[in-house]
Coordinates of all heavy atoms in Angstrom, one line a residue:
M1 N 5.3 29.5 -5.9 CA 5.4 28.2 -5.1 C 5.5 28.5 -3.7 O 6.1 29.4 -3.2 CB 6.6 27.4 -5.6 CG 6.7 26.0 -4.9 SD 8.2 25.1 -5.6 CE 7.4 23.7 -6.1
Q2 N 4.7 27.6 -2.9 CA 4.6 27.9 -1.5 C 6.0 27.3 -0.7 O 6.4 26.3 -1.1 CB 3.5 27.2 -0.9 CG 3.2 27.5 0.5 CD 1.9 26.9 1.0 OE1 1.3 26.1 0.3 NE2 1.4 27.2 2.2
K3 N 6.5 28.2 0.2 CA 7.7 27.7 0.8 C 7.3 26.6 1.9 O 6.4 26.7 2.5 CB 8.4 28.9 1.5 CG 9.6 29.5 0.7 CD 10.2 30.5 1.6 CE 11.7 30.1 1.8 NZ 12.6 31.1 2.4
I4 N 8.2 25.8 2.2 CA 8.1 24.8 3.2 C 8.7 25.2 4.5 O 9.8 25.6 4.6 CB 8.7 23.4 2.8 CG1 8.0 22.9 1.6 CG2 8.6 22.4 4.0 CD1 8.6 21.7 0.9
D5 N 7.9 25.3 5.5 CA 8.4 25.6 6.9 C 9.1 24.4 7.5 O 8.5 23.3 7.7 CB 7.2 25.9 7.7 CG 7.6 26.3 9.2 OD1 8.8 26.1 9.5 OD2 6.8 26.9 9.9
P6 N 10.4 24.4 7.7 CA 11.1 23.3 8.1 C 10.7 22.7 9.5 O 10.7 21.5 9.7 CB 12.6 23.9 8.3 CG 12.7 25.1 7.6 CD 11.2 25.6 7.4
Q7 N 10.2 23.5 10.3 CA 9.8 23.1 11.6 C 8.4 22.4 11.4 O 8.1 21.3 12.1 CB 9.5 24.2 12.6 CG 10.8 24.8 13.2 CD 10.7 25.9 14.2 OE1 9.7 26.6 14.1 NE2 11.6 26.0 15.1
E8 N 7.5 22.8 10.6 CA 6.2 22.2 10.3 C 6.5 20.8 9.6 O 5.9 19.9 9.9 CB 5.3 23.0 9.5 CG 4.4 24.0 10.3 CD 3.6 23.4 11.3 OE1 3.0 22.5 11.0 OE2 3.7 23.9 12.5
Y9 N 7.5 20.8 8.7 CA 7.9 19.6 8.0 C 8.3 18.6 9.0 O 7.9 17.4 8.9 CB 8.9 20.0 7.0 CG 9.5 18.9 6.1 CD1 8.7 18.1 5.3 CD2 10.8 18.4 6.4 CE1 9.1 17.1 4.5 CE2 11.3 17.3 5.7 CZ 10.5 16.7 4.7 OH 10.9 15.5 4.1
Q10 N 9.2 18.9 9.8 CA 9.8 18.0 10.9 C 8.7 17.6 11.8 O 8.6 16.3 12.1 CB 10.9 18.7 11.7 CG 11.6 17.8 12.6 CD 12.3 16.6 11.8 OE1 13.0 16.8 10.8 NE2 12.0 15.4 12.2
K11 N 7.7 18.4 12.1 CA 6.6 18.0 13.1 C 5.8 16.9 12.3 O 5.4 15.9 12.9 CB 5.7 19.2 13.2 CG 5.1 19.2 14.6 CD 4.6 20.6 15.0 CE 3.2 20.9 14.6 NZ 2.7 22.2 14.9
R12 N 5.6 17.0 11.0 CA 4.8 16.1 10.3 C 5.5 14.7 10.2 O 4.9 13.7 10.3 CB 4.3 16.6 8.9 CG 3.3 17.7 9.1 CD 2.8 18.2 7.8 NE 1.6 19.0 7.9 CZ 1.7 20.3 7.8 NH1 2.8 20.9 7.6 NH2 0.6 21.0 8.0
L13 N 6.9 14.9 10.0 CA 7.6 13.7 9.8 C 7.7 12.9 11.2 O 7.6 11.6 11.2 CB 9.1 14.0 9.5 CG 9.5 14.3 8.0 CD1 10.9 14.6 7.9 CD2 9.1 13.1 7.2
D14 N 7.8 13.7 12.3 CA 7.7 13.0 13.6 C 6.4 12.3 13.9 O 6.4 11.2 14.4 CB 8.1 14.0 14.6 CG 9.4 14.6 14.7 OD1 10.3 14.0 14.0 OD2 9.7 15.6 15.3
R15 N 5.4 13.0 13.4 CA 4.0 12.4 13.6 C 3.9 11.1 12.8 O 3.4 10.1 13.3 CB 2.8 13.4 13.2 CG 1.6 12.9 13.4 CD 1.1 12.8 14.7 NE -0.3 12.3 14.9 CZ -0.6 11.1 15.5 NH1 0.3 10.5 16.2 NH2 -1.9 10.7 15.6
L16 N 4.3 11.1 11.5 CA 4.3 10.0 10.7 C 5.1 8.8 11.4 O 4.7 7.7 11.3 CB 4.8 10.2 9.3 CG 3.8 10.8 8.3 CD1 4.5 11.2 7.0 CD2 2.7 9.8 8.1
T17 N 6.3 9.2 11.8 CA 7.2 8.1 12.5 C 6.5 7.6 13.6 O 6.5 6.3 13.9 CB 8.5 8.8 12.9 OG1 9.1 9.3 11.7 CG2 9.4 7.8 13.5
E18 N 5.8 8.4 14.5 CA 5.1 7.9 15.6 C 3.9 6.9 15.2 O 3.8 5.9 15.7 CB 4.5 9.0 16.3 CG 3.8 8.8 17.5 CD 3.1 10.0 18.2 OE1 3.8 11.1 18.1 OE2 2.0 10.0 18.7
I19 N 3.3 7.3 14.1 CA 2.1 6.4 13.7 C 2.7 5.1 13.1 O 2.1 4.0 13.4 CB 1.3 7.1 12.5 CG1 0.6 8.3 13.1 CG2 0.4 6.2 11.8 CD1 -0.1 9.3 12.1
L20 N 3.6 5.2 12.3 CA 4.2 3.9 11.6 C 4.9 3.1 12.7 O 4.9 1.8 12.6 CB 5.2 4.4 10.5 CG 4.5 5.0 9.3 CD1 5.5 5.4 8.3 CD2 3.5 4.0 8.7
A21 N 5.5 3.6 13.7 CA 6.1 2.9 14.9 C 5.1 2.1 15.5 O 5.3 0.9 15.8 CB 6.9 3.8 15.7
G22 N 4.0 2.6 15.8 CA 2.9 2.0 16.4 C 2.4 0.8 15.6 O 2.1 -0.3 16.0
I23 N 2.2 1.0 14.3 CA 1.8 -0.1 13.3 C 2.8 -1.2 13.4 O 2.4 -2.4 13.5 CB 1.5 0.5 11.9 CG1 0.3 1.5 12.0 CG2 1.4 -0.6 10.9 CD1 0.2 2.2 10.7
A24 N 4.0 -0.9 13.3 CA 5.1 -1.8 13.3 C 5.2 -2.7 14.5 O 5.3 -3.8 14.5 CB 6.5 -1.2 13.0
A25 N 4.9 -2.0 15.6 CA 5.0 -2.7 17.0 C 3.9 -3.7 17.0 O 4.0 -4.8 17.5 CB 5.0 -1.6 18.1
H26 N 2.7 -3.3 16.6 CA 1.5 -4.1 16.6 C 1.7 -5.3 15.7 O 1.4 -6.5 16.1 CB 0.3 -3.3 16.1 CG -0.9 -4.2 16.2 ND1 -1.6 -4.6 17.3 CD2 -1.8 -4.7 15.1 CE1 -2.6 -5.5 17.0 NE2 -2.8 -5.5 15.8
A27 N 2.3 -5.1 14.5 CA 2.5 -6.2 13.6 C 3.6 -7.2 14.1 O 3.4 -8.4 14.0 CB 3.1 -5.6 12.2
D28 N 4.6 -6.7 14.8 CA 5.6 -7.6 15.5 C 4.8 -8.4 16.5 O 5.1 -9.6 16.6 CB 6.6 -6.6 16.2 CG 7.7 -6.2 15.3 OD1 7.7 -6.6 14.0 OD2 8.5 -5.3 15.6
E29 N 4.0 -7.8 17.3 CA 3.3 -8.6 18.3 C 2.3 -9.6 17.8 O 2.4 -10.7 18.2 CB 2.6 -7.6 19.2 CG 1.9 -8.1 20.5 CD 0.5 -8.4 20.4 OE1 -0.1 -7.5 19.9 OE2 0.0 -9.4 21.0
V30 N 1.5 -9.2 16.8 CA 0.6 -10.2 16.1 C 1.3 -11.3 15.4 O 0.9 -12.4 15.4 CB -0.3 -9.4 15.1 CG1 -1.1 -10.4 14.3 CG2 -1.2 -8.5 15.9
S31 N 2.5 -11.0 14.8 CA 3.2 -12.1 14.0 C 3.8 -13.2 14.9 O 4.1 -14.3 14.4 CB 4.4 -11.4 13.3 OG 5.4 -11.1 14.2
L32 N 3.8 -13.0 16.2 CA 4.2 -14.0 17.1 C 3.1 -15.1 17.3 O 3.4 -16.2 17.8 CB 4.6 -13.5 18.5 CG 5.7 -12.4 18.5 CD1 6.0 -11.8 19.9 CD2 7.0 -13.2 18.0
R33 N 1.8 -14.8 17.0 CA 0.9 -15.8 17.2 C 0.0 -16.0 16.0 O -0.8 -16.9 15.9 CB 0.0 -15.4 18.4 CG -0.5 -14.0 18.4 CD -1.2 -13.7 19.8 NE -1.3 -12.2 19.9 CZ -2.3 -11.5 19.2 NH1 -3.2 -12.2 18.6 NH2 -2.3 -10.3 19.3
R34 N -0.1 -15.1 15.0 CA -0.9 -15.3 13.9 C -0.1 -15.9 12.6 O 0.9 -15.4 12.4 CB -1.6 -13.9 13.4 CG -2.5 -14.1 12.2 CD -3.3 -12.8 11.9 NE -4.0 -12.9 10.6 CZ -5.2 -13.3 10.7 NH1 -5.9 -13.4 11.8 NH2 -6.0 -13.4 9.5
C35 N -0.6 -17.0 12.1 CA 0.1 -17.7 11.1 C 0.3 -16.8 9.9 O -0.6 -16.1 9.4 CB -0.6 -18.9 10.7 SG 0.2 -19.9 9.4
P36 N 1.6 -16.8 9.4 CA 1.8 -15.9 8.2 C 1.0 -16.4 7.0 O 1.0 -15.6 6.0 CB 3.4 -16.0 8.0 CG 3.7 -17.3 8.7 CD 2.7 -17.5 9.8
Y37 N 0.5 -17.6 7.0 CA -0.3 -18.1 5.8 C -1.8 -17.7 5.9 O -2.4 -18.1 4.9 CB 0.0 -19.7 5.6 CG 1.4 -20.0 5.3 CD1 2.3 -20.4 6.3 CD2 2.0 -19.9 4.0 CE1 3.6 -20.7 6.0 CE2 3.2 -20.2 3.7 CZ 4.0 -20.6 4.7 OH 5.3 -20.9 4.3
K38 N -2.1 -17.1 6.9 CA -3.6 -16.8 7.2 C -3.8 -15.4 6.5 O -3.2 -14.4 6.9 CB -3.9 -16.8 8.6 CG -5.4 -16.7 9.0 CD -5.4 -16.9 10.4 CE -6.8 -17.3 10.9 NZ -6.9 -17.5 12.3
N39 N -4.7 -15.3 5.6 CA -5.0 -14.1 5.0 C -6.0 -13.3 5.8 O -6.5 -13.8 6.8 CB -5.4 -14.2 3.5 CG -6.8 -14.8 3.3 OD1 -7.6 -15.0 4.3 ND2 -7.1 -15.4 2.2
R40 N -6.4 -12.1 5.4 CA -7.3 -11.2 6.1 C -8.7 -11.8 6.3 O -9.5 -11.4 7.1 CB -7.3 -9.9 5.6 CG -7.9 -9.7 4.2 CD -7.9 -8.3 3.6 NE -8.5 -8.3 2.3 CZ -9.8 -8.2 2.1 NH1 -10.6 -8.0 3.1 NH2 -10.2 -8.2 0.9
L41 N -9.0 -12.8 5.4 CA -10.3 -13.4 5.5 C -10.3 -14.7 6.3 O -11.2 -15.5 6.2 CB -10.8 -13.7 4.0 CG -11.0 -12.3 3.2 CD1 -11.3 -12.8 1.7 CD2 -11.9 -11.4 3.8
D42 N -9.3 -14.9 7.0 CA -9.0 -16.1 7.8 C -9.1 -17.4 6.9 O -9.5 -18.4 7.3 CB -10.1 -16.2 8.8 CG -9.9 -15.2 10.0 OD1 -8.8 -14.7 10.1 OD2 -10.9 -14.9 10.6
Q43 N -8.5 -17.2 5.7 CA -8.3 -18.4 4.8 C -6.8 -18.8 4.7 O -6.0 -17.9 5.0 CB -8.9 -18.0 3.4 CG -10.2 -17.6 3.2 CD -10.6 -16.9 2.0 OE1 -9.7 -16.2 1.5 NE2 -11.7 -17.3 1.5
C44 N -6.6 -20.0 4.5 CA -5.3 -20.5 4.5 C -4.7 -20.5 3.1 O -5.3 -21.0 2.2 CB -5.3 -22.0 4.9 SG -3.6 -22.7 4.9
T45 N -3.5 -19.9 3.0 CA -2.9 -19.8 1.6 C -1.7 -20.8 1.5 O -1.0 -20.8 0.6 CB -2.4 -18.4 1.4 OG1 -1.4 -18.1 2.4 CG2 -3.5 -17.4 1.4
A46 N -1.5 -21.6 2.6 CA -0.3 -22.5 2.7 C -0.5 -23.6 1.6 O -1.6 -24.2 1.4 CB -0.1 -23.1 4.0
Q47 N 0.6 -24.1 1.0 CA 0.6 -25.2 0.0 C 1.0 -26.5 0.8 O 1.2 -27.5 0.0 CB 1.6 -24.9 -1.1 CG 1.2 -23.6 -1.9 CD -0.2 -23.7 -2.5 OE1 -0.5 -24.6 -3.3 NE2 -1.1 -22.7 -2.3
F48 N 0.9 -26.6 2.0 CA 1.2 -27.8 2.7 C 0.1 -28.2 3.7 O -0.8 -27.4 3.9 CB 2.5 -27.7 3.4 CG 2.7 -26.5 4.3 CD1 2.1 -26.6 5.6 CD2 3.3 -25.3 3.8 CE1 2.3 -25.4 6.5 CE2 3.3 -24.2 4.7 CZ 2.8 -24.3 6.0
G49 N 0.1 -29.4 4.2 CA -1.0 -29.7 5.1 C -0.8 -29.1 6.5 O 0.3 -28.7 6.9
C50 N -2.0 -28.9 7.1 CA -2.0 -28.3 8.4 C -3.2 -28.8 9.1 O -4.3 -28.8 8.5 CB -2.0 -26.8 8.3 SG -2.1 -26.0 9.9
R51 N -3.1 -29.1 10.4 CA -4.3 -29.6 11.2 C -5.4 -28.6 11.3 O -6.5 -28.9 11.6 CB -3.8 -30.1 12.5 CG -3.2 -31.4 12.5 CD -2.8 -31.9 13.8 NE -1.6 -31.2 14.2 CZ -1.2 -30.9 15.5 NH1 -1.9 -31.2 16.4 NH2 -0.1 -30.3 15.7
N52 N -5.0 -27.3 11.2 CA -6.0 -26.2 11.2 C -6.9 -25.9 10.0 O -7.7 -25.2 10.0 CB -5.4 -24.9 11.6 CG -4.8 -25.0 13.1 OD1 -5.4 -25.8 13.9 ND2 -3.7 -24.2 13.3
K53 N -6.5 -26.6 8.9 CA -7.2 -26.4 7.7 C -8.6 -27.0 7.6 O -8.7 -28.1 8.1 CB -6.4 -27.0 6.4 CG -5.4 -26.1 5.9 CD -4.9 -26.7 4.6 CE -3.7 -26.0 4.1 NZ -3.1 -26.4 2.8
R54 N -9.6 -26.3 7.2 CA -10.9 -26.8 7.1 C -11.4 -26.5 5.6 O -10.8 -25.8 4.9 CB -11.9 -26.1 8.0 CG -11.5 -26.2 9.5 CD -11.6 -27.7 10.1 NE -11.3 -27.7 11.4 CZ -10.1 -27.9 11.9 NH1 -9.1 -28.2 11.0 NH2 -9.9 -28.1 13.2
K55 N -12.5 -27.2 5.2 CA -13.0 -27.1 3.9 C -13.3 -25.6 3.6 O -13.7 -24.9 4.4 CB -14.4 -27.9 3.8 CG -14.2 -29.3 3.7 CD -15.5 -30.0 3.5 CE -15.2 -31.5 3.6 NZ -16.4 -32.4 3.6
P56 N -13.1 -25.2 2.2 CA -13.4 -23.9 1.9 C -15.0 -23.7 2.0 O -15.7 -24.5 1.9 CB -13.1 -24.0 0.4 CG -12.3 -25.1 0.1 CD -12.6 -26.1 1.2
Q57 N -15.3 -22.4 2.2 CA -16.7 -22.1 2.3 C -17.4 -22.1 1.0 O -18.7 -22.3 0.9 CB -16.9 -20.7 3.0 CG -16.5 -20.7 4.4 CD -16.7 -19.4 5.2 OE1 -16.5 -18.4 4.6 NE2 -17.1 -19.4 6.4
V58 N -16.7 -21.9 -0.1 CA -17.2 -21.9 -1.5 C -16.4 -22.9 -2.3 O -15.1 -23.0 -2.0 CB -17.3 -20.5 -2.1 CG1 -18.2 -19.6 -1.5 CG2 -15.9 -19.8 -2.2
A59 N -17.0 -23.6 -3.2 CA -16.3 -24.6 -4.0 C -15.2 -23.9 -4.8 O -15.4 -22.8 -5.4 CB -17.3 -25.2 -5.0
G60 N -14.0 -24.5 -4.8 CA -12.9 -23.9 -5.4 C -12.1 -22.7 -4.6 O -11.1 -22.2 -5.1
G61 N -12.7 -22.4 -3.4 CA -12.1 -21.3 -2.7 C -11.0 -21.9 -1.8 O -10.5 -23.0 -1.8
L62 N -10.3 -21.0 -1.2 CA -9.2 -21.3 -0.3 C -9.8 -22.0 1.0 O -10.9 -21.7 1.5 CB -8.4 -20.0 0.2 CG -7.6 -19.4 -0.9 CD1 -7.1 -18.0 -0.3 CD2 -6.4 -20.3 -1.2
P63 N -9.0 -22.9 1.5 CA -9.5 -23.6 2.8 C -9.5 -22.5 4.0 O -8.9 -21.5 3.9 CB -8.4 -24.5 3.1 CG -7.5 -24.6 1.9 CD -7.7 -23.4 1.1
V64 N -10.5 -22.8 4.9 CA -10.6 -21.9 6.1 C -9.6 -22.3 7.1 O -9.3 -23.5 7.3 CB -12.1 -22.1 6.6 CG1 -12.2 -21.3 7.9 CG2 -13.1 -21.6 5.5
C65 N -9.1 -21.3 7.7 CA -8.1 -21.6 8.8 C -8.8 -21.6 10.1 O -9.5 -20.6 10.4 CB -7.0 -20.6 8.9 SG -5.9 -20.8 10.4
A66 N -8.8 -22.8 10.8 CA -9.5 -22.8 12.1 C -8.6 -22.5 13.3 O -8.9 -22.6 14.5 CB -10.1 -24.3 12.4
G67 N -7.4 -22.0 13.0 CA -6.5 -21.6 14.1 C -7.1 -20.5 14.8 O -7.7 -19.6 14.3
D68 N -6.9 -20.4 16.2 CA -7.5 -19.4 17.0 C -6.6 -18.2 17.3 O -6.9 -17.3 18.0 CB -8.1 -19.9 18.3 CG -7.0 -20.6 19.2 OD1 -5.8 -20.5 18.8 OD2 -7.3 -21.2 20.2
D69 N -5.3 -18.3 16.7 CA -4.3 -17.2 16.9 C -3.9 -17.0 18.4 O -3.3 -16.0 18.7 CB -4.9 -15.8 16.4 CG -5.1 -15.8 14.9 OD1 -4.5 -16.7 14.2 OD2 -5.9 -14.9 14.4
K70 N -4.3 -18.0 19.2 CA -3.9 -17.9 20.6 C -2.7 -18.9 21.0 O -2.1 -18.6 21.9 CB -5.1 -18.2 21.5 CG -6.1 -17.2 21.4 CD -7.3 -17.4 22.4 CE -8.4 -16.4 22.3 NZ -9.7 -16.7 22.2
L71 N -2.6 -19.8 20.1 CA -1.6 -20.8 20.4 C -0.5 -20.7 19.4 O -0.7 -20.1 18.2 CB -2.1 -22.2 20.4 CG -3.1 -22.4 21.5 CD1 -3.8 -23.8 21.4 CD2 -2.5 -22.4 22.9
D72 N 0.7 -21.3 19.6 CA 1.8 -21.3 18.6 C 1.2 -22.3 17.4 O 0.9 -23.4 17.6 CB 3.0 -21.9 19.2 CG 4.1 -21.8 18.2 OD1 4.0 -21.5 17.1 OD2 5.3 -22.1 18.7
Y73 N 1.1 -21.7 16.2 CA 0.4 -22.4 15.1 C 1.5 -23.5 14.5 O 1.1 -24.3 13.9 CB 0.1 -21.4 14.0 CG 1.1 -20.5 13.7 CD1 2.1 -20.8 12.7 CD2 1.2 -19.2 14.2 CE1 3.2 -19.9 12.5 CE2 2.3 -18.4 14.0 CZ 3.2 -18.8 13.1 OH 4.2 -17.9 12.9
R74 N 2.8 -23.3 14.7 CA 3.8 -24.0 14.0 C 3.8 -25.6 14.2 O 4.1 -26.3 13.2 CB 5.2 -23.5 14.3 CG 5.3 -22.1 13.7 CD 6.6 -21.4 14.1 NE 6.3 -21.0 15.6 CZ 7.2 -20.2 16.2 NH1 8.3 -19.7 15.6 NH2 6.8 -19.9 17.4
P75 N 3.4 -26.0 15.4 CA 3.3 -27.5 15.5 C 2.2 -28.1 14.7 O 2.2 -29.4 14.4 CB 2.9 -27.7 17.1 CG 3.5 -26.5 17.7 CD 3.2 -25.4 16.7
A76 N 1.2 -27.3 14.2 CA 0.1 -27.8 13.4 C 0.7 -28.2 12.0 O -0.1 -28.9 11.2 CB -1.0 -27.0 13.4
W77 N 1.7 -27.5 11.5 CA 2.1 -27.7 10.2 C 2.6 -29.1 9.9 O 3.3 -29.7 10.8 CB 3.3 -26.8 9.8 CG 2.9 -25.4 9.8 CD1 1.6 -24.8 9.9 CD2 3.8 -24.2 9.7 NE1 1.7 -23.4 9.7 CE2 2.9 -23.0 9.7 CE3 5.1 -24.1 9.5 CZ2 3.5 -21.8 9.5 CZ3 5.6 -22.7 9.3 CH2 4.8 -21.7 9.4
E78 N 2.3 -29.7 8.7 CA 2.7 -31.1 8.4 C 3.7 -31.0 7.3 O 3.4 -30.8 6.1 CB 1.4 -31.8 8.0 CG 0.4 -32.0 9.1 CD -1.0 -32.3 8.6 OE1 -1.2 -32.4 7.4 OE2 -1.8 -32.5 9.5
T79 N 4.9 -31.0 7.8 CA 6.0 -31.0 6.8 C 6.8 -32.3 6.8 O 6.7 -33.0 7.7 CB 7.0 -29.8 7.1 OG1 7.4 -30.1 8.5 CG2 6.4 -28.5 7.1
S80 N 7.4 -32.6 5.6 CA 8.1 -33.9 5.5 C 9.6 -33.8 6.0 O 10.0 -32.8 6.3 CB 8.1 -34.4 4.1 OG 8.6 -33.4 3.3
Ligands
LIG101 S1 -4.5 -23.7 8.4 FE1 -2.4 -23.8 9.3 S2 -1.0 -23.1 7.8 FE2 -3.1 -22.5 7.1 S3 -3.3 -20.4 7.9 FE3 -4.1 -21.7 9.4 S4 -2.4 -22.2 10.8 FE4 -1.5 -21.3 8.9

């Protein structure tokens, strides 16, 4: 069995931490303006009304989200 070099191991851990920290920072920033109900295909998964919802592109599909991710999406939500 091959021995693990502790310094190489730590170097790789540090690199992974650096990569994941960058991803987390980007997610934090995007989450301030991208609606959490919008999937990667820009479709809406919310079960409530929203002014940004548009007709699905295919029958029976999810509604399209017309939000532009530039404004605060929360005022568009229609809650009782
Ligand atoms: S339509 Fe409204 S609730 Fe749905 S993903 Fe877009 S902003 Fe969010």
